């Protein structure tokens, strides 16, 4: 069991190194100072902010929109004494791996999808508080887009299906390197438009070929309904989908996306506009989508084919084969914040 956990720890994506705002909270009447909510946050608490410098960070109900779910509090003073310089990105990544991976895995009960939507990282004290001797970190989970941008989360990660899926109507941008980017408006250049979310059938892990057989027919049906039967070939577009890896299946991830993209030519090709049937009802949801940057102002019902707000029906233990999982990629993203 210890060996399996060690392998799982190496898979945790080391993502966002976010600094506490020094003066968040402002002053209360009577001259007292409001306590920074980060200083009192404990495992299971969720934090949200709208300002880039995190000056308006606040503790919120995890059912509401949030950007950080605390998985544990760690003290790194034993390895970073009073004279230690403020860590750079590579050092923060090491700190995260040494201190945040275990507490985050414990928080999730050992169920973590290394290819899923959640990433692990520390909420660090920033250079000023670090210089004053602060060595306490909040470890936590965040949802990041393909290019590393933070996306809002809804609900505790403990109860969510961790599949890296987006709701119908979301378009994923394109990076300068012609890889998949973060969600953008569909009028802008993008790689894919999500047309549906498909729950995979329960049971043993299906090989990629089996997943392809299932999703080929299902995604074709969903795409025809989503587009109103539009001729995608005439626009040089094709229907495609994502498959699940064994490590994801072992963590209980059972959702996958059907999507439309341009026919590739030596890599991904950007295209503009939406293929959705303009006469179809609005794609809205009674609960905000978990992994889209697009918010609905007047929710009226569940989005077509979307199961992104349901809990996972299976919570299998992490893979016991760390060798097969060791090739999982990690990502390093830094959120700009006041230091």
């Amino acid at each position: 069991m210890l060996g399996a956990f060690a392998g799982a720890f190496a898979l945790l994506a080391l993502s966002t190194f976010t600094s506490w705002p020094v003066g968040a909270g402002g002053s209360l009447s009577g001259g007292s100072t409001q306590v920074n909510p980060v200083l009192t946050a404990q495992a299971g608490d969720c934090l949200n902010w709208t300002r880039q410098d995190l000056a308006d960070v606040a503790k919120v109900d995890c059912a509401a929109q949030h950007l950080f779910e605390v998985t544990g509090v760690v003290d790194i003073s034993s390895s970073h004494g009073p004279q230690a310089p403020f860590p750079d990105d590579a050092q923060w990544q090491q700190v995260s791996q040494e201190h945040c991976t275990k507490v985050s895995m414990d928080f999730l009960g050992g169920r973590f999808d290394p290819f899923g939507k959640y990433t692990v990282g520390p909420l660090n004290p920033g250079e000023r508080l670090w210089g004053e001797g602060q060595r306490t970190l909040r470890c936590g989970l965040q949802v990041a887009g393909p290019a590393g941008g933070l996306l809002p989360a809804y609900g505790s990660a403990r109860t969510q299906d961790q599949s890296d899926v987006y709701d119908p109507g979301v378009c994923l941008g394109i990076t300068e390197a012609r890889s998949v980017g973060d969600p953008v408006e569909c009028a802008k250049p993008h790689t894919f438009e999500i047309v549906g979310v498909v729950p995979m059938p329960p049971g043993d892990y299906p090989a990629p070929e089996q997943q392809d057989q299932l999703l080929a027919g299902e995604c074709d049906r969903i795409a025809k309904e989503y587009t109103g039967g539009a001729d995608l070939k005439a626009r040089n577009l094709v229907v495609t989908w994502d498959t699940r890896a064994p490590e994801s299946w072992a963590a209980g991830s059972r959702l996958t996306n059907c999507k439309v993209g341009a026919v590739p030519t030596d890599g991904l090709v950007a295209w503009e506009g939406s293929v959705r049937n303009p006469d179809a009802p609005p794609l809205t949801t009674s609960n905000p989508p978990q992994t889209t940057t697009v918010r609905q102002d007047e929710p009226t019902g569940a989005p077509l084919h979307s199961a992104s707000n349901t809990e996972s029906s299976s919570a299998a233990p992490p893979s016991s084969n760390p060798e097969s999982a060791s090739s999982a990629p990690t990502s390093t993203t830094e959120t700009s914040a006041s230091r």
Side-chain angles (χ1 to χ4, degrees):
M1 180 63 70
L2 181 60
F5 270 83
F9 293 159
L11 292 172
L12 293 175
L14 307 175
S15 61
T16 306
F17 310 127
T18 309
S19 298
W20 306 354
V22 174
S27 298
L28 298 174
S29 59
S32 61
T33 301
Q34 185 175 355
V35 176
N36 186 323
V38 177
L39 293 172
T40 60
Q42 300 297 316
D45 289 339
C46 290
L47 303 172
N48 193 50
W49 57 86
T50 60
R51 291 183 50 169
Q52 191 174 16
D53 61 1
L54 279 73
D56 61 344
V57 63
K59 189 183 300 184
V60 298
D61 189 320
C62 289
Q65 174 178 313
H66 59 274
L67 294 175
F68 194 90
E69 181 172 5
V70 179
T71 57
V73 181
V74 298
D75 187 331
I76 62 172
S77 58
S78 61
S79 57
H80 295 76
Q83 304 305 317
F86 187 75
D88 58 22
D89 287 354
Q91 291 169 326
W92 275 126
Q93 188 177 63
Q94 183 178 358
V95 167
S96 181
Q97 187 170 14
E98 292 176 352
H99 297 278
C100 290
T101 51
K102 185 180 186 308
V103 296
S104 296
M105 180 66 79
D106 291 344
F107 179 81
L108 292 172
R111 186 178 66 93
F112 182 83
D113 181 352
F115 305 106
K117 63 185 177 182
Y118 291 109
T119 56
V120 175
L123 193 60
N124 70 64
E127 289 191 52
R128 177 177 168 182
L129 292 179
W130 181 274
E132 296 174 358
Q134 179 60 257
R135 297 294 187 271
T136 302
L137 311 178
R138 263 63 186 175
C139 297
L141 296 165
Q142 296 177 293
V143 176
L150 289 184
L151 301 177
Y154 299 88
S156 173
R158 282 172 162 168
T159 62
Q160 302 301 308
D161 184 301
Q162 298 178 28
S163 304
D164 188 18
V165 294
Y166 298 84
D167 286 289
V170 173
C171 288
L172 299 176
I174 188 166
T175 68
E176 293 182 359
R178 297 179 67 185
S179 60
V180 180
D182 294 336
V184 297
E185 295 179 3
C186 291
K188 297 181 179 180
H190 55 275
T191 53
F192 297 106
E193 179 174 354
I194 306 301
V195 299
V197 179
V198 177
M200 301 293 286
D204 295 335
Y205 173 73
E209 296 79 11
Q210 293 176 288
Q211 297 183 51
D212 286 338
Q213 290 178 359
L214 168 69
L215 294 170
E218 185 66 5
C219 287
D220 183 65
R221 180 190 67 79
I222 289 174
K224 287 179 178 177
E225 181 177 337
Y226 182 90
T227 65
D231 184 0
L232 297 178
K233 187 176 181 180
R235 293 185 57 180
N236 207 33
L237 301 174
V238 294
V239 178
T240 185
W241 52 86
D242 299 321
T243 58
R244 291 287 155 252
E247 296 84 6
S248 299
W249 196 267
S253 296
R254 296 292 187 273
L255 304 177
T256 189
N257 272 141
C258 299
K259 53 193 180 182
V260 169
V263 176
T265 56
D266 296 326
L268 295 175
V269 176
W271 55 290
E272 299 176 8
S274 174
V275 295
R276 188 167 182 272
N277 180 4
D279 298 324
L283 282 174
T284 55
T285 174
S286 55
N287 292 310
Q290 292 178 335
T291 53
T292 173
T293 57
V294 180
R295 293 296 305 276
Q296 303 290 346
D297 293 330
E298 298 180 358
T300 58
L304 296 176
H305 315 297
S306 176
S308 64
N309 289 308
T310 61
E311 296 182 6
S312 171
S313 59
S314 175
S319 171
S320 60
N321 185 0
E323 293 183 2
S324 66
S326 62
S327 61
T330 60
S331 61
T332 303
T333 308
E334 182 174 1
T335 299
S336 298
S338 63
R339 304 296 191 191

